Amino acid sequence: MRVLVLGGIRSGKSHWAEADIAADMSTAPVRYLATGSTDTGDPDWSRRVDAHRRRRPAQWSTVETADVAAALRADTRTATLVDDIGGWLTAAMDRREAWTGGSVHADVDELCAAVTGFDGKLTLVSPEVGLTVVPATAGGRLFADELGALNQRLAARCDRVVLVVAGQPLVVKETIR
């Protein structure tokens, strides 16, 4: 089962995804792939990262990585939660210099292939675009365009898509296997 959890900033999407996978995998191991940078020098960001860490059950393993596709391919069976796709995309855009004309298309293709090839329970958390103001900068608009296209590709590969609003899940897509 592959699940895509979408939501706006501070919508409760990560918390909902963590609770959902924990309920499904109550005693089984869960791998948490964290995509956000942890050494930004921003105290507020550090507090947010710490809050996410404290919420996770002690038996979960955590891998902090920007190479989600490689991590998914390395172990295709252990239940995995990826939080979040927006952080992954930002790192990929930085690495490929997409802000100034580079392309993340190969990275996106690789991620989508890894998601398709994953055999275990997989939950992907991603910000939903279009729930806030239109970005005022060219870089912001580029990110929104890339994330919107990526979310659509991931949703097509997932069995379930859930939109979280104010902490409440709304099932957008449900495919029964």
Side-chain angles (χ1 to χ4, degrees):
M1 165 81 64
R2 292 182 292 268
V3 180
L4 176 61
V5 180
L6 301 167
I9 295 169
R10 310 305 290 166
S11 64
K13 62 189 174 293
S14 295
H15 187 72
W16 186 89
E18 292 163 3
D20 182 63
I21 201 167
D24 284 352
M25 311 306 295
S26 60
T27 59
V30 173
R31 177 178 55 161
Y32 189 106
L33 299 182
T35 66
S37 177
T38 58
D39 58 351
T40 64
D42 179 350
D44 180 58
W45 182 253
S46 295
R47 281 190 294 278
R48 289 172 186 250
V49 169
D50 287 342
H52 273 252
R53 287 176 177 155
R54 285 191 308 273
R55 251 190 351 233
R56 294 177 211 147
Q59 71 270 21
W60 287 14
S61 65
T62 298
V63 177
E64 294 177 352
T65 183
D67 196 349
V68 173
L72 292 177
R73 284 192 309 271
D75 178 357
T76 64
R77 296 192 184 275
T78 298
T80 300
L81 189 151
V82 179
D83 194 0
D84 86 3
I85 297 300
W88 172 84
L89 180 60
T90 298
M93 290 177 77
D94 287 347
R95 188 174 55 253
R96 300 293 183 203
E97 299 180 1
W99 310 107
T100 56
S103 174
V104 293
H105 294 295
D107 300 78
V108 168
D109 288 346
E110 185 179 11
L111 176 64
C112 289
V115 167
T116 300
F118 197 82
D119 295 323
K121 168 81 175 187
L122 176 61
T123 300
L124 307 164
V125 177
S126 186
E128 176 55 40
V129 295
L131 295 180
T132 60
V133 298
V134 175
T137 66
R141 290 186 296 275
L142 175 64
F143 178 79
D145 291 347
E146 293 289 344
L147 183 61
L150 175 55
N151 283 346
Q152 291 177 49
R153 289 186 65 185
L154 292 173
R157 288 163 173 74
C158 287
D159 306 296
R160 190 174 187 207
V161 178
V162 177
L163 175 64
V164 178
V165 178
Q168 303 303 305
L170 173 63
V171 176
V172 176
K173 173 185 173 184
E174 186 83 48
T175 304
I176 299 172
R177 286 185 177 190

